[in-house]
Amino acid sequence: MDNLEKNLIIYDERESLNEKIIEREIEQFKLIQNFIKSQMKEGEDYGKIPGSPKPSLFKPGAEKLCNLYGFTINVDILEKVENWKEGFFYYLCKCSLRSKKTGEIISEGLGSCNSKETKFARQNPYTIVNTILKMAKKRALIDATLSATRTSGIFTQDIEDMEEMLITDENVEVKEEKVDYATQNQKNYIAKLAKDKNINDEG
């Protein structure tokens, strides 16, 4: 009987603990939503993308969220290709978010960018090397931020730099073009002109 009572107490404590965690998560989510509405600006910190159900998080918005949570931002280059002869450049970066209080790494994110991406197709690769590196760092930051702040349900990865979005055939409205064929009178007139100018089907 004593063992049964102990088990029931442990079970009740676990239920109580779970309820507290759920309540805390709900309250935290509400606070984040209020912060986004009151402190973050659409078009500057985030933006709505046609065809996407969630707004896209931009770099300034990610930095605001990191500051709110008390994170320090550190970005390292993991891999890089700088082929000056062929004009190809590639960077893979890792962003680490640390707690300012404890120094503990809370989240890490990866981001890459290269000069063969569609947006750079018509640009001189030698003049955008720094831009490519910055974009890789930005993507890593946003990846880490969405994970650390648990806002991936609110925002999606930053796609503000995309020039075009892929859409499915279901979203494409295909309109059948109306073709106006020549009337019989018009055909007769054309045939008469051809005869007068000695034009035949063989050219």
Side-chain angles (χ1 to χ4, degrees):
M1 185 65 178
D2 291 339
N3 291 333
L4 179 59
E5 289 179 353
K6 289 181 180 179
N7 289 335
L8 288 174
I9 292 173
I10 293 173
Y11 180 81
D12 290 341
E13 288 176 348
R14 288 179 177 177
E15 284 297 301
S16 178
L17 180 61
N18 287 336
E19 289 176 2
K20 289 180 180 179
I21 292 175
I22 293 173
E23 290 176 358
R24 186 175 62 188
E25 290 292 328
I26 293 174
E27 186 63 27
Q28 183 173 341
F29 185 74
K30 290 180 180 179
L31 290 173
I32 290 298
Q33 287 184 316
N34 290 336
F35 176 81
I36 293 171
K37 291 179 180 179
S38 62
Q39 303 299 322
M40 297 178 67
K41 298 179 181 179
E42 183 177 348
E44 179 180 324
D45 299 312
Y46 65 92
K48 295 180 180 179
I49 306 299
S52 176
K54 295 183 291 186
S56 172
L57 181 63
F58 298 162
K59 183 173 180 286
E63 291 172 340
K64 284 185 178 180
L65 287 173
C66 287
N67 185 60
L68 173 68
Y69 277 83
F71 297 150
T72 59
I73 302 171
N74 184 69
V75 181
D76 297 310
I77 300 175
L78 297 183
E79 298 177 6
K80 68 177 180 179
V81 176
E82 295 177 336
N83 190 329
W84 293 91
K85 183 178 180 180
E86 300 294 334
F88 176 73
F89 303 93
Y90 160 82
Y91 297 97
L92 173 64
C93 296
K94 179 179 72 174
C95 176
S96 301
L97 301 181
R98 292 179 178 271
S99 169
K100 292 180 180 179
K101 292 183 178 180
T102 65
E104 177 187 1
I105 294 180
I106 305 300
S107 176
E108 293 182 330
L110 297 176
S112 67
C113 188
N114 71 84
S115 57
K116 292 293 186 180
E117 293 186 17
T118 305
K119 64 180 67 61
F120 304 129
R122 298 182 180 181
Q123 299 187 50
N124 184 341
Y126 301 102
T127 63
I128 57 173
V129 177
N130 193 48
T131 299
I132 295 170
L133 176 57
K134 285 184 177 180
M135 193 166 292
K137 290 181 177 180
K138 179 182 67 174
R139 291 171 177 174
L141 167 62
I142 293 172
D143 183 33
T145 302
L146 291 176
S147 177
T149 60
R150 300 181 182 180
T151 51
S152 58
I154 301 175
F155 297 112
T156 186
Q157 182 75 10
D158 179 10
I159 48 178
E160 65 174 335
D161 51 296
M162 291 181 64
E163 294 181 351
E164 58 185 15
M165 293 184 64
L166 296 177
I167 55 177
T168 62
D169 292 339
E170 295 178 352
N171 295 328
V172 179
E173 182 180 358
V174 179
K175 295 183 178 180
E176 183 179 352
E177 294 185 0
K178 182 180 179 181
V179 179
D180 294 326
Y181 295 98
T183 64
Q184 188 60 46
N185 290 336
Q186 290 172 331
K187 291 179 180 179
N188 293 338
Y189 178 72
I190 293 172
K192 183 177 182 301
L193 287 177
K195 183 178 180 181
D196 293 342
K197 294 181 179 294
N198 295 321
I199 300 175
N200 54 44
D201 293 339
E202 297 178 355

